[in-house]
Amino acid sequence: MGRAGWGLSPPGVLFAVLGLGALLLPFLTVAANRIVAGDGVLPWRLAAPAVTLPGTAAVMAGLLLGLPSAWPRLRFAGSILGLAGLLWLLMQGAPALLVGAGDYARVSPAIGFWCLLLILMLLMADALAQLAPGSLARGALLAAVLGTLALILWSGTLSQLSILQEYAGRREAFADAAVRHLALAFGSLATAAAIGFPLGILCHRRSSLRTTTLPVLSFLQTIPSLAMFGLMIPILGWVGDSVPGAQAIGIAGIGFAPAFLALVLYSLLPVVGNTVTGLAATPPSALEAARGMGMTPRQRLWQVELPLGLPIILTGLRIVLVQNVGLAVIAGLIGGGGFGTFVFQGLNQTATDLILLGALPTVALALVSAIVMDILVELASPTPQGTA
Amino acid sequence: MRIGVGTILRPALVLLLLALVLRPDWFAPVFRPLAPEGAPAIYARSSLLSLSLSHLGLVAAATAAATLVAVTLAILVTRPAGEAFRPLSRTVTNMGQTFPPVAVLALAVPALGFGAGPTLVALFLYGLLPIFENATIALSTLPPATMEAARGMGLNRWQRLVQVELPLAFPVILTGIRLSVVIALGTATIGSTVAARTLGEVIIAGLLTSNTAYVLQGGIIVGLFAVLIYDALVQLEARLARHTGGRRTA
């Protein structure tokens, strides 16, 4: 901080060194089919030098632009330039490597690509932390990134990559999995909010309820996810068998219902806990003033405590959403659907790209949820600094 | 009331867990109705004790390595020389924790193959974040008066770190370790899908053969381990907090 002029940013130096090192690693792999291990290809061997040069040059220039600590905008631009270079190498390298490699040949990004992607994204994050954009600017940036990503995928320039070939063979299953995954994550969030929110308000009012409810919920949270999903199976199987009409609405031991219930149980602690903390965080002076104005307890709750506690309550929802997007993957093991289906199919077939087809959308969904919820939390905070 | 429930329930659960792991046959009548016709009710393909030990060993090794690395990194970024890495480290811990542990595990497989290796790496990587976050917060929010006193006593930087900063930060770091351990226990369970030897094997075997008895048996054992270890660490934290004057709780 405060270092002006030509000072070098220490993280920038680290990224440049690591990034240049990563350029010496295999960038893509070519394999004879989707199962066998492939051979790594170095960035400058992907295609003719005239084709790979602009890409590698852009990556190097991007890394170097990340160096000066005084110009965060330039560093940010450097990260964009570097990412564009990576995209160029992928676009040019994949078709070039597939020429004459056989009908079942597959090209996938290799360790070098993933390292460079990570390094350039860290550079972007570092530059953004320096720039400290407001919540609206962050939202616009996120929209721009997602828009670009959608455009790239839609344009088909990367369709030669193995992961997109896996997708091409499973368009409908992928759409189903996406809908199911979102239904699990958001449905359980909504249900947990509908239960947890009133429960949190009750806990806020009665300390005896609070001291019994919160420990029970935190123990529930502790149970490993696979065990929790497994434990739901006999319970819901029993309900499905013994309660008339339960099976008709889809309650059975295997499938959507146990996954959904497990996610709801995991969600209760962050919702209830943060509601209690949020409501308790009202400054005594504000409560005093509300009382002085003659507000009833109900009015105090809705007009004073809830609005003031909203950032903390929303933080609870953020935790739940991110957690459930990730945990919904486990549903794939008990026939609950979602992206986990691809992950575990891929693990069974040792098909790396099928694993990625399930894992990458999950990671992206979790990241986007976190960023969007962070923006919402910030917008709900009375002071622009947030509550962190 | 709290003492009453805890003192009765804790030893009871420990005994139940020990019995489930060491003498699984005792529970055959309980699980029998859940097993399909003709299928065994008690998991016998490998001993539950060795699966438990291997499960706990993975978690312990990964958490120990993660603690060592995370606390070292936290010490570095809280020194003046590491200041420039603070904003970056905050972003990385914030965003890194949004990565689903299962996804980390699945992504480690292409890089490292099947077996205990990818599980260990996934547990280690994921375990770093909560410990690092808590250690950084603890080391950067030490009471200024205490630090001033330590400087006034003529302690050098190393002595201040070892004798004052780390002991004061320890309870908060321990909270981070507890969060890591809980996540690691859960992720290790899923590790059995990539052929790591953990208790998840029992649950997965049950899911594959539609044997609810296995699922329940594995689920209860893993759940009890998690709950008891979590509880033990909470007790340890409470005790330490009392020793160091109950400075903060995270």
Side-chain angles (χ1 to χ4, degrees):
Chain A
M1 312 300 111
R3 239 176 306 165
W6 291 98
L8 293 182
S9 145
V13 173
L14 181 71
F15 298 145
V17 171
L18 292 177
L20 293 176
L23 271 175
L24 304 175
L25 296 172
F27 191 83
L28 292 175
T29 58
V30 197
N33 58 50
R34 65 193 277 265
I35 307 293
V36 299
D39 298 319
V41 183
L42 293 165
W44 59 90
R45 300 241 174 88
L46 293 172
V51 177
T52 56
L53 190 65
T56 37
V59 173
M60 281 196 246
L63 289 169
L64 294 179
L65 288 180
L67 289 175
S69 66
W71 294 334
R73 278 167 205 274
L74 189 70
R75 304 184 67 214
F76 181 70
S79 69
I80 303 274
L81 180 65
L83 290 171
L86 287 189
L87 180 64
W88 172 267
L89 287 175
L90 277 188
M91 275 166 50
Q92 302 297 328
L97 289 177
L98 281 176
V99 173
D103 285 346
Y104 300 105
R106 292 293 186 105
V107 171
S108 322
I111 181 86
F113 168 80
W114 295 115
C115 288
L116 283 168
L117 183 67
L118 182 69
I119 291 165
L120 288 165
M121 281 171 66
L122 286 176
L123 173 59
M124 187 188 272
D126 194 36
L128 279 178
Q130 256 182 308
L131 285 167
S135 37
L136 287 178
R138 286 214 310 272
L141 186 65
L142 179 68
V145 169
L146 291 179
T148 316
L149 201 62
L151 198 65
I152 293 169
L153 291 176
W154 174 76
S155 69
T157 42
L158 295 180
S159 60
Q160 311 270 8
L161 287 180
S162 185
I163 175 172
L164 289 171
Q165 297 199 333
E166 295 284 340
Y167 167 71
R170 292 184 177 75
R171 270 172 215 274
E172 284 187 2
F174 187 85
D176 273 357
V179 169
R180 189 55 87 83
H181 206 99
L182 291 172
L184 279 172
F186 284 90
S188 60
L189 173 75
T191 312
I195 301 168
F197 203 50
L199 190 60
I201 292 174
L202 280 179
C203 285
H204 174 63
R205 296 257 176 86
R206 297 207 187 100
S207 70
S208 61
L209 187 64
R210 186 163 62 230
T211 47
T212 49
T213 309
L214 288 180
V216 170
L217 292 182
S218 65
F219 273 127
L220 275 182
Q221 186 96 15
T222 311
I223 299 173
S225 46
L226 186 58
M228 180 78 105
F229 280 69
L231 293 176
M232 291 302 119
I233 292 176
I235 297 174
L236 283 184
W238 179 79
V239 171
D241 288 343
S242 51
V243 177
Q247 273 177 346
I249 55 167
I251 294 180
I254 290 274
F256 188 79
F260 189 82
L261 184 60
L263 291 182
V264 170
L265 289 179
Y266 275 127
S267 314
L268 284 176
L269 177 70
V271 175
V272 177
N274 279 42
T275 306
V276 171
T277 318
L279 293 178
T282 317
S285 57
L287 276 181
E288 200 53 51
R291 238 176 253 127
M293 284 166 68
M295 284 189 179
T296 62
R298 199 188 178 77
Q299 284 173 323
R300 283 207 301 273
L301 176 69
W302 285 100
Q303 295 173 20
V304 182
E305 291 172 303
L306 276 180
L308 285 174
L310 192 60
I312 300 182
I313 296 172
L314 280 179
T315 307
L317 295 185
R318 175 210 194 265
I319 298 171
V320 169
L321 187 57
V322 170
Q323 168 189 293
N324 286 6
V325 167
L327 286 176
V329 173
I330 319 279
L333 273 177
I334 58 168
F339 291 129
T341 319
F342 298 131
V343 173
F344 293 112
Q345 267 176 23
L347 286 173
N348 276 335
Q349 304 173 8
T350 63
T352 303
D353 297 295
L354 192 51
I355 301 178
L356 290 179
L357 186 64
L360 290 183
T362 313
V363 170
L365 194 58
L367 273 177
V368 171
S369 309
I371 296 171
V372 170
M373 290 301 290
D374 279 343
I375 292 173
L376 287 181
V377 170
E378 212 171 287
L379 288 177
S381 307
T383 49
Q385 290 306 309
T387 49
Chain B
M1 180 217 104
R2 279 184 64 184
I3 304 161
V5 173
T7 39
I8 301 166
L9 205 56
R10 212 168 283 133
L13 290 180
V14 172
L15 285 178
L16 176 63
L17 178 59
L18 285 176
L20 275 166
V21 171
L22 298 173
R23 291 281 178 275
D25 294 334
W26 291 359
F27 297 87
V30 184
F31 290 119
R32 169 60 49 209
L34 291 163
E37 208 60 42
I42 296 299
Y43 191 77
R45 266 177 253 173
S46 50
S47 105
L48 291 174
L49 179 64
S50 80
L51 285 180
S52 304
L53 290 178
S54 147
H55 192 123
L56 297 180
L58 268 176
V59 172
T63 309
T67 305
L68 200 66
V69 174
V71 172
T72 312
L73 287 177
I75 291 172
L76 290 179
V77 299
T78 49
R79 303 304 104 182
E83 183 69 30
F85 288 90
R86 277 293 283 286
L88 177 69
S89 68
R90 207 173 300 135
T91 314
V92 170
T93 41
N94 200 10
M95 290 291 115
Q97 290 186 70
T98 65
F99 266 65
V102 199
V104 179
L105 185 66
L107 294 177
V109 170
L112 296 157
F114 283 77
T119 308
L120 201 59
V121 170
L123 297 188
F124 165 73
L125 285 180
Y126 209 85
L128 284 175
L129 299 174
I131 304 176
F132 176 78
E133 187 175 30
N134 275 38
T136 317
I137 292 172
L139 287 171
S140 56
T141 55
L142 295 167
T146 316
M147 294 310 298
E148 201 51 54
R151 230 169 274 135
M153 283 166 67
L155 298 180
N156 64 28
R157 283 166 67 178
W158 177 251
Q159 287 170 320
R160 284 206 302 274
L161 177 67
V162 174
Q163 295 173 15
V164 182
E165 295 179 40
L166 284 179
L168 279 177
F170 189 63
V172 182
I173 297 177
L174 197 59
T175 307
I177 296 177
R178 168 164 57 91
L179 297 174
S180 273
V181 167
V182 167
I183 297 169
L185 279 166
T187 312
T189 318
I190 305 162
S192 62
T193 58
V194 300
R197 270 178 59 81
T198 73
L199 287 163
E201 201 179 296
V202 185
I203 303 176
I204 299 283
L207 291 173
L208 291 178
T209 57
S210 311
N211 187 342
T212 311
Y214 283 0
V215 174
L216 203 59
Q217 199 184 3
I220 291 174
I221 294 177
V222 173
L224 279 178
F225 265 122
V227 167
L228 287 171
I229 291 173
Y230 171 90
D231 181 60
L233 288 171
V234 169
Q235 302 291 325
L236 183 64
E237 269 164 57
R239 190 159 296 179
L240 276 174
R242 245 175 280 139
H243 271 283
T244 52
R247 196 163 52 91
R248 277 161 303 173
T249 46

